[in-house]
Amino acid sequence: ANFSEQVVESFPSDLSTGIYCGWACVGNGDVHKMVLSIGWNPFYKNIKKSVETHIIHTFKDNFYGEILSIVITGYIRSEKNFSSLEALISAIQEDIEKAKRQLDLPEHLKLKDDNFFHLPEGKTVNH
């Protein structure tokens, strides 16, 4: 799930590029572990900074137009370039495994149930 340019520009400018972990919620759904990439994606030679969320969950349907809420709880590694697509995929898999382990720690786990993830009563989400 990629955030729009407008959302990316609203992120704190002093937030280091790299790979983070945390929690994500689509609409009023369940809260899942996630890995977040913030940066320029050098392998793809992006000219604009991007924020890409990989929710560690398999959804039945796509969720375009839904509200995506995230809480960043930890830093995994800095952004880097890769010599091949295979190396990039391998690093992503390692990032996911590190995130899963890190998010099981009590200091990360307690944020999963934060009220932040519950949309206010009457707030509608596109379906």
Side-chain angles (χ1 to χ4, degrees), residues 11 15 18-25 31-38 53-54 56 69-77 95-96 98-114 116-117:
F11 270 63
L15 190 63
I19 309 303
Y20 293 82
C21 65
W23 301 101
C25 178
V31 178
H32 300 285
K33 294 176 178 178
M34 65 98 181
V35 177
L36 185 78
S37 168
I38 300 175
T53 309
H54 172 79
I56 305 171
S69 304
I70 65 167
V71 171
I72 299 171
T73 64
Y75 184 76
I76 295 178
R77 65 171 173 84
D95 296 338
I96 290 169
K98 285 179 188 171
K100 286 178 182 178
R101 289 191 302 272
Q102 198 168 329
L103 291 165
D104 281 337
L105 298 172
E107 61 268 28
H108 295 273
L109 207 49
K110 69 181 180 185
L111 293 167
K112 180 180 182 182
D113 296 320
D114 194 275
F116 169 78
F117 289 115

Side-chain angles (χ1 to χ4, degrees), residues 72-91:
I72 299 171
T73 64
Y75 184 76
I76 295 178
R77 65 171 173 84
S78 61
E79 182 177 48
K80 60 184 179 182
N81 200 351
F82 296 92
S83 57
S84 67
L85 183 57
E86 292 76 22
L88 171 61
I89 291 169
S90 177

Side-chain angles (χ1 to χ4, degrees), residues 40-52:
W40 306 96
N41 296 328
F43 184 77
Y44 292 104
K45 299 175 177 50
N46 286 6
I47 55 171
K48 289 192 182 262
K49 192 179 205 178
S50 67
V51 177
E52 300 172 357

